[in-house]
Amino acid sequence: MGFTSEIHDYQLLSKIATNDKHGENSPYFDGWKAYDRDPFHPTKNPDGVIQMGLAENQLSFDLIEDWIMENPKASICTPEGVNQFKHIANFQDYHGLPEFTKGVANFMSKVRGGRVKFDPDRILMSGGATGANELIMFCLADPGDAFLVPSPYYPAFVRDLCWRTGIQIIPVHCDSSNNFKITREALEEAYQKAQEDNINVKGLIITNPSNPLGTTLDRETLKSAVSFINEKNIHLVCDEIYAATVFNSPGYVSVSEILQDIESINLDLIHVIYSLSKDMGLPGFRVGIVYSYNEEVVHCGRKMSSFGLVSSQTQHLLGAMLNDDEFVDGFLKESSRRLGKRHSVFTKGLEKEGISCLPSNAGLFVWMNLRKLLKEQTFEGEMMLWRDIINEVKLNVSPGSSFDCKEPGWFRVCFANMDDETVEVALRRIRAFVGKETTPSSSPKKPVKLKRWNSNLRLSLSSSRRFDETVLSPHNMMSPHSPLVQAT
Amino acid sequence: MTQTRSTATETDDQKNRSPSSGATGMKLIVPLQGVVQGRGGLLLGSLIPCALFYFLQLYLKRNRSKNSSNPPSPSASSSNLPELPRSSSRTNLSSRGSIGRVPVSSLANMIAKPDSSPYYIGLERVFLDPYDPVNNPDGIIQLGLSANKLCLDLIEKWLSANVKESLIGTDDVSLSINGIAAYQPFDGTEEMKMAMSNFMSLVLGGSVKFDPSNIILTSGGTPAIEILSFCLADQGNAFLVPSPYYPGFDRDFRWRTGVDLIPVYCRSTDNFSLSITALEQAYSQARKRGVKVRGILFSNPSNPVGNLLSQDMLHSLVEFAQEKNIHIISDEIYAGSMYGSEKFVSIAEVLDLEYIDKSRVHIIYGLSKDFALPGFRVGALYSFNESVLAAAKKLTRFCSIPAPTQRLVASMLSDQRFVQEYISTNQKRIREVHKEFEAGLNKLGIKCAKSSAGVYCWADMSELIRPYSEKGELDLWEKFLSVAKISITPGSACHCIEPGWFRICFTTLDLEDIPLVIERFGRVVETCKSSG
């Protein structure tokens, strides 16, 4: 396949297929590549790179495993459950299996402490939260329209919200001066500027609990956001996929609760995105949910859900699981406890080394403050530090610039996708690194095994500075059945 | 948005009208001058007619806006659909009501309009009143959705015998939930790709072996078709599609992509076969209109007709595409549902010649029809084009098959003996039901197009429709729904240029059901015949 045929190929493809809005060409992939080539294993590869860039919740699998073992009827491939097979295999109604939508509504309500009720008929399915975010954009905005997004934000929003939909993101920058809170002034300013630039702002998307910050929005901020969109008559999309990862006070306030408190909100503007990938640790099940208070959006979105329906087998299993109140209550409590414990162990370990994180009460990660380790307070400095962390400390963490953070020196570090021993190893390595960095004498650095890709860790200031945290599923190298996926 | 625009236009109109109104106004001024004395006479004399005209405009504008079609409120647009029960989550809050109309996307506005396609209306009607032999014997029998229930018992039997493949592996820890609950490669696991390519080789192949590295797996055939549309064409471009065609193509290929489908009409005179001449014509016409044609899309076996493309025709299609430098998408999702004596030839089989550029050929497949698992959402996109595969792989981020389903299906498909038995039994049963069903229709005087595959008959009821037009066809369709309580798909939903043809799916029926169904057909057929 020569050069000429590649050009030939390229011309035959669409703009969407050949632009880089998918975000995977970002130089930050080198961190992933480093992990892929040299993945950590406690016994087989103790010097390998530890994956701390993937926000996965692996702490409570055993609870789900136990439930499945105890409930063979829920699975259609057991003697107890196989009689449901014919019905399930044939079921492709866009409304979803009634047990499934009821179960999801039940689960969502319990996650919010029972303070809100959700209507199963408003639940739309999609291919994971990724599909849900894209679907709601298709329903709300036209190509060229814009959505305000408080930064720092999940890097793959560029792909999910913009790639095929043609809409654009307008970041609303938040900074550490007020712990990255979203202020009304910042929202107004971003909106005004868009008006001046003749950009049609269709809505605001907020992630609550926040990725990457790990914080929940306080009631006042949420109220302010709701009144802002109501005043401007634009949509509010609340990405609440981390809702059940809240492990500490202040408690969680979801947008649905706010709606009960404030008068005169136009409900047609409010939409919630949900998923089971983070809260239940089931990203492989591809369960994305769009919940809208707008009838038209429900109607239209339901038709569009054909592009990402949840497999009926999954619906059947989860329908049984999520309607088991005893299980759900127990799971939510225990999962939250384990996350809190892990968060505490990790942050305390970091504090011992003088590393602080943004105080957080949710999420599967911490927003680590490494500003004092930067050689220069610039993004180049951040890049240099990041390279060191990957090459020497052998941790794959995510630099703040990939989240469009305006202050250099912040890093998102995931802590819920590993066991306790691995956390200890990670902390040990950080200890060693910080010790080295803060002592003026330069000790000889350990030889880096894989040198050839170092030079590729260059800072690229192009707008395609995004990466997908979940392109790869490489963590389970122990299984002979799931080979490592190569980054493309 | 719309309302603001209309007011703006009317203000413009007013402005446009007043200068001309001045001229006619002069005719009033002269006699008025006689009335109005004094210094301000001329001024007042010219002001008054202008004022009169102004008020006239205002009066007309008020009347116009009463008659103008305001964009339908959400409740009106959804009135044709089953009312979503007012949820408790909204009733508590809804006392405050909606304030003004909220702009959603243009796409949403278009989709929000009541479904005009009988294909979807039919699905909706059955949903509301589905036939059940025990609980609802007078309900509507679904013959409009091509689902195959004939061999589900075989799969059920396999499952019962192979429970080790359930969610939790018993012996091997690595098969536990840790493996399948976590993120997987979005375009499918190695295991599943291998299983799928082997299955495709069996069903489609003949001499062709399908390579797992050329497969992308998606949650159903629907997103696979959409992915190809996004990858191969830009907004405003078009694909040629032989018609009649599968109604779902209109949504899957066009809705969110902005790519158009240009029908290439086939006729009953040659059993709805495609001709290169017709393709050439459609292509030139599109070019004349300034529309860029990026490729051809077709299903083979054909849906709704059920005929096959011959090896020669496939050759000609590939040469045509080569000549025009466009793509070919072959949807081969019914390849395993053969009942006739003809042999299926996949487009992959004609690509072995040296001068053929394989990179423009893409195949859609899935397990919803041949393997009767539509609920599981298992689709595949097969391409020889590295760039398309690379782009499509990224797009599976939005539509992956969940891991437990991949595991289950992969182990099922890897059981070679079971798969062989399934395919041959499936074909046998389809043949039996098809024979009985078509015979039943023939007895009523309804003839079907010659077909070798698929799960439906393409029936000619043109003699039963009055008038001989789309309206007549839709009237008959409605009669079948409301009188005979059968849902079938009218040819107009499939863009058939000849009125009176209907697609009738028969694989949701057992042999014993056929007499009941034929009797229901008979009800309407008799009334049509008697009414002359």
Side-chain angles (χ1 to χ4, degrees):
Chain A
M1 185 115 52
F3 185 62
T4 34
S5 63
E6 272 166 29
I7 291 184
H8 184 244
D9 260 0
Y10 233 61
Q11 284 163 355
L12 275 184
L13 265 58
S14 67
K15 297 193 188 92
I16 285 181
T18 49
N19 69 22
D20 59 359
K21 284 243 185 92
H22 48 74
E24 294 183 18
N25 285 342
S26 154
Y28 298 101
F29 254 124
D30 294 332
W32 292 84
K33 288 173 187 159
Y35 172 78
D36 247 3
R37 286 174 220 239
D38 186 19
F40 171 81
H41 186 275
T43 49
K44 297 187 192 150
N45 190 16
D47 289 328
V49 176
I50 299 179
Q51 173 64 286
M52 303 187 87
L54 178 60
E56 224 182 29
N57 182 357
Q58 293 185 23
L59 300 184
S60 304
F61 277 147
D62 57 315
L63 301 176
I64 298 182
E65 259 178 29
D66 290 341
W67 186 92
I68 292 181
M69 295 290 265
E70 287 156 21
N71 292 269
K73 262 181 85 173
S75 168
I76 48 168
C77 26
T78 55
E80 295 87 340
V82 78
N83 57 8
Q84 283 295 298
F85 168 73
K86 276 195 189 143
H87 169 60
I88 299 302
N90 228 40
F91 187 85
Q92 43 179 338
D93 186 341
Y94 298 177
H95 292 81
L97 275 176
E99 314 86 81
F100 175 68
T101 48
K102 188 160 154 281
V104 171
N106 185 39
F107 188 76
M108 285 172 74
S109 174
K110 282 191 179 291
V111 167
R112 289 150 183 78
R115 295 182 293 274
V116 202
K117 283 272 167 289
F118 289 91
D119 177 6
D121 288 333
R122 290 187 175 282
I123 286 176
L124 307 176
M125 299 182 278
S126 56
T130 300
N133 277 320
E134 194 197 39
L135 191 138
I136 196 68
M137 286 302 124
F138 270 122
C139 289
L140 301 180
D142 289 326
D145 288 344
F147 256 72
L148 301 175
V149 185
S151 91
Y153 57 82
Y154 170 53
F157 267 168
V158 176
R159 173 197 62 208
D160 301 350
L161 306 177
C162 308
W163 192 16
R164 298 195 292 188
T165 58
I167 71 149
Q168 47 180 319
I169 284 180
I170 295 180
V172 179
H173 292 295
C174 308
D175 57 62
S176 57
S177 59
N178 66 345
N179 279 343
F180 295 94
K181 279 214 173 109
I182 306 168
T183 61
R184 183 63 178 257
E185 294 73 45
L187 288 173
E188 294 281 358
E189 198 188 307
Y191 185 82
Q192 274 314 114
K193 175 133 195 331
Q195 299 291 90
E196 281 156 28
D197 294 341
N198 238 341
I199 300 176
N200 186 22
V201 176
K202 247 2 209 320
L204 164 68
I205 181 163
I206 57 180
T207 314
N208 178 31
S210 160
N211 175 9
L213 304 174
T215 53
T216 51
L217 288 183
D218 59 87
R219 193 169 280 265
E220 291 320 307
T221 310
L222 203 41
K223 270 191 177 160
S224 171
V226 171
S227 77
F228 169 75
I229 56 105
N230 198 48
E231 188 193 302
K232 307 280 188 266
N233 199 33
I234 59 177
H235 292 277
L236 178 63
V237 175
C238 287
D239 184 335
E240 302 191 336
I241 67 172
Y242 290 99
T245 64
V246 178
F247 48 79
N248 232 342
S249 60
Y252 181 57
V253 181
S254 86
V255 71
S256 311
E257 291 170 56
I258 297 290
L259 298 180
Q260 284 166 181
D261 287 346
I262 316 181
E263 294 289 319
S264 73
I265 294 291
N266 185 351
L267 296 175
D268 282 345
L269 297 171
I270 313 288
H271 323 273
V272 178
I273 300 293
Y274 194 59
S275 164
L276 298 181
S277 302
K278 311 294 180 183
D279 284 353
M280 288 199 84
L282 298 173
F285 280 33
R286 311 313 304 141
V287 178
I289 303 289
V290 175
Y291 187 95
S292 176
Y293 290 91
N294 182 322
E295 297 278 355
E296 208 178 326
V297 170
V298 169
H299 176 49
C300 150
R302 178 158 289 129
K303 292 188 194 180
M304 265 197 234
S305 60
S306 61
F307 297 108
L309 290 175
V310 175
S311 163
S312 53
Q313 178 194 14
T314 310
Q315 290 188 51
H316 181 64
L317 176 74
L318 292 174
M321 201 190 291
L322 300 178
N323 279 310
D324 184 342
D325 282 338
E326 202 188 315
F327 166 75
V328 170
D329 290 336
F331 176 86
L332 289 175
K333 195 156 156 233
E334 180 62 13
S335 170
S336 179
R337 190 193 69 80
R338 292 182 188 182
L339 281 170
K341 181 157 164 254
R342 173 61 62 85
H343 172 265
S344 170
V345 163
F346 192 64
T347 45
K348 286 203 170 70
L350 291 175
E351 268 165 32
K352 275 210 198 92
E353 311 311 319
I355 295 179
S356 67
C357 302
L358 184 75
S360 64
N361 61 330
L364 308 174
F365 32 71
V366 289
W367 190 233
M368 201 191 286
N369 183 355
L370 294 180
R371 285 185 292 177
K372 62 175 195 222
L373 293 182
L374 292 184
K375 294 208 168 51
E376 39 181 274
Q377 293 293 324
T378 60
F379 288 110
E380 284 81 7
E382 183 181 281
M383 277 288 92
M384 287 191 318
L385 179 59
W386 177 63
R387 250 181 270 141
D388 285 346
I389 296 176
I390 296 207
N391 295 346
E392 298 187 28
V393 193
K394 303 290 208 84
L395 301 176
N396 181 26
V397 300
S398 315
S401 45
S402 64
F403 296 84
D404 204 12
C405 182
K406 275 308 166 227
E407 287 177 20
W410 293 90
F411 290 78
R412 189 193 78 169
V413 184
C414 302
F415 56 70
N417 60 328
M418 56 190 68
D419 56 30
D420 294 328
E421 290 74 33
T422 314
V423 176
E424 284 311 311
V425 174
L427 285 172
R428 264 203 311 271
R429 292 184 184 181
I430 294 175
R431 198 169 302 140
F433 177 72
V434 174
K436 230 183 338 171
E437 288 297 302
T438 46
T439 52
S441 60
S442 54
S443 34
K445 295 194 171 163
K446 267 191 237 159
V448 178
K449 280 177 201 164
L450 300 162
K451 277 192 189 157
R452 44 180 198 283
W453 44 266
N454 282 359
S455 53
N456 291 338
L457 292 171
R458 303 172 68 92
L459 174 67
S460 162
L461 292 171
S462 69
S463 59
S464 62
R465 222 202 287 150
R466 307 278 174 261
F467 72 100
D468 174 7
E469 64 176 357
T470 52
V471 160
L472 313 166
S473 71
H475 69 280
N476 197 10
M477 56 162 302
M478 289 172 273
S479 162
H481 288 258
S482 45
L484 295 176
V485 172
Q486 297 303 311
T488 44
Chain B
M1 268 301 151
T2 336
Q3 275 164 327
T4 342
R5 228 181 266 134
S6 56
T7 2
T9 348
E10 265 130 30
T11 330
D12 284 341
D13 278 348
Q14 275 175 294
K15 289 192 189 137
N16 289 338
R17 286 212 175 93
S18 26
S20 57
S21 69
T24 30
M26 288 307 285
K27 293 187 185 144
L28 282 173
I29 285 175
V30 172
L32 269 174
Q33 262 188 309
V35 176
V36 179
Q37 302 287 339
R39 285 173 67 197
L42 189 61
L43 187 64
L44 275 178
S46 44
L47 266 181
I48 290 173
C50 292
L52 283 175
F53 269 92
Y54 171 73
F55 286 117
L56 180 67
Q57 297 305 321
L58 205 57
Y59 171 76
L60 286 172
K61 177 191 160 195
R62 269 211 206 99
N63 270 2
R64 222 192 328 264
S65 62
K66 274 200 207 125
N67 296 333
S68 77
S69 50
N70 287 316
S73 66
S75 51
S77 66
S78 52
S79 58
N80 286 4
L81 298 140
E83 261 290 299
L84 287 171
R86 271 266 126 153
S87 61
S88 56
S89 64
R90 263 200 81 145
T91 33
N92 295 337
L93 310 163
S94 65
S95 49
R96 306 196 294 265
S98 296
I99 297 137
R101 187 163 149 63
V102 167
V104 291
S105 64
S106 319
L107 178 62
N109 277 328
M110 178 192 80
I111 296 173
K113 294 202 197 105
D115 256 316
S116 54
S117 167
Y119 176 70
Y120 293 105
I121 298 179
L123 293 180
E124 203 61 55
R125 297 273 284 267
V126 174
F127 176 73
L128 295 170
D129 182 21
Y131 169 80
D132 183 283
V134 175
N135 298 326
N136 190 15
D138 289 324
I140 306 179
I141 299 181
Q142 175 64 286
L143 301 179
L145 181 62
S146 66
N148 181 354
K149 296 187 183 168
L150 300 179
C151 290
L152 283 173
D153 59 311
L154 294 179
I155 303 182
E156 203 178 304
K157 217 171 81 192
W158 184 92
L159 278 176
S160 306
N162 291 273
V163 292
K164 203 162 70 75
E165 306 308 323
S166 70
L167 206 55
I168 307 290
T170 43
D171 305 321
D172 197 343
V173 164
S174 62
L175 291 177
S176 74
I177 196 159
N178 247 305
I180 55 174
Y183 281 107
Q184 310 287 322
F186 290 101
D187 58 329
T189 57
E190 292 292 322
E191 188 195 21
M192 181 68 191
K193 284 190 180 185
M194 186 68 87
M196 198 63 180
S197 59
N198 285 342
F199 186 71
M200 284 173 73
S201 302
L202 190 65
V203 173
L204 278 66
S207 55
V208 179
K209 281 281 162 274
F210 285 85
D211 183 350
S213 54
N214 285 7
I215 280 193
I216 300 284
L217 296 171
T218 57
S219 54
T222 299
I225 296 173
E226 196 194 38
I227 284 181
L228 279 179
S229 181
F230 269 118
C231 286
L232 305 178
D234 294 313
Q235 230 177 18
N237 295 160
F239 261 65
L240 301 176
V241 56
S243 94
Y245 62 85
Y246 163 54
F249 277 163
D250 284 328
R251 281 190 178 185
D252 304 348
F253 207 76
R254 299 175 53 206
W255 245 9
R256 307 194 301 184
T257 60
V259 176
D260 205 5
L261 284 177
I262 298 176
V264 179
Y265 296 112
C266 305
R267 295 170 194 280
S268 57
T269 38
D270 53 1
N271 203 45
F272 296 97
S273 302
L274 178 60
S275 79
I276 296 293
T277 325
L279 270 179
E280 287 276 7
Q281 262 178 359
Y283 184 83
S284 331
Q285 279 168 5
R287 283 196 77 174
K288 282 205 193 97
R289 285 198 322 264
V291 174
K292 188 162 182 206
V293 173
R294 296 302 285 267
I296 316 169
L297 166 70
F298 53 81
S299 45
N300 177 34
S302 153
N303 176 6
V305 182
N307 52 13
L308 299 176
L309 290 175
S310 67
Q311 188 139 0
D312 287 336
M313 176 49 80
L314 289 169
H315 264 299
S316 311
L317 281 168
V318 173
E319 280 171 5
F320 177 84
Q322 188 110 326
E323 187 201 322
K324 306 283 189 256
N325 194 23
I326 59 179
H327 291 277
I328 293 183
I329 303 176
S330 178
D331 182 351
E332 303 190 344
I333 205 166
Y334 288 101
S337 305
M338 302 283 301
Y339 51 77
S341 48
E342 264 181 87
K343 190 178 160 303
F344 173 73
V345 179
S346 162
I347 196 160
E349 287 211 53
V350 304
L351 296 177
D352 275 332
L353 299 164
E354 269 172 31
Y355 62 91
I356 296 287
D357 178 9
K358 285 186 187 178
S359 68
R360 58 182 78 254
V361 176
H362 321 278
I363 299 174
I364 301 275
Y365 193 60
L367 298 184
S368 301
K369 314 294 177 185
D370 288 348
F371 214 68
L373 298 175
F376 283 14
R377 317 307 303 141
V378 179
L381 189 167
Y382 191 90
S383 177
F384 299 91
N385 186 321
E386 296 289 334
S387 314
V388 170
L389 288 173
K393 187 172 178 168
K394 298 183 176 93
L395 286 170
T396 54
R397 195 64 178 79
F398 299 103
C399 51
S400 302
I401 306 178
T405 302
Q406 286 194 59
R407 162 99 81 66
L408 176 63
V409 172
S411 59
M412 229 189 263
L413 296 183
S414 304
D415 187 341
Q416 295 279 356
R417 199 196 48 83
F418 166 68
V419 167
Q420 297 272 18
E421 186 203 334
Y422 181 90
I423 292 178
S424 58
T425 313
N426 187 35
Q427 289 181 352
K428 176 165 153 289
R429 290 184 187 175
I430 295 180
R431 199 176 306 133
E432 281 167 2
V433 178
H434 171 257
K435 192 160 156 240
E436 278 296 310
F437 190 72
E438 199 172 297
L441 289 177
N442 287 342
K443 277 211 194 82
L444 295 174
I446 302 172
K447 296 239 175 14
C448 299
K450 190 164 153 311
S451 57
S452 335
V455 298
Y456 33 74
C457 297
W458 184 235
D460 182 2
M461 304 211 228
S462 49
E463 289 178 7
L464 301 174
I465 62 176
R466 301 266 177 284
Y468 181 71
S469 66
E470 186 176 322
K471 180 169 184 312
E473 179 185 287
L474 291 176
D475 285 344
L476 181 60
W477 169 72
E478 178 58 54
K479 255 197 218 136
F480 274 116
L481 264 178
S482 35
V483 174
K485 299 300 223 45
I486 313 175
S487 171
I488 55 180
T489 310
S492 48
C494 306
H495 301 268
C496 182
I497 197 157
E498 296 176 18
W501 290 84
F502 286 80
R503 187 190 80 168
I504 311 170
C505 302
F506 53 78
T507 42
T508 49
L509 306 172
D510 293 323
L511 282 171
E512 306 87 63
D513 298 327
I514 295 182
L516 162 68
V517 172
I518 297 294
E519 186 263 328
R520 288 208 187 179
F521 268 100
R523 286 186 219 164
V524 171
V525 172
E526 290 313 314
T527 26
C528 289
K529 283 193 176 149
S530 57
S531 61

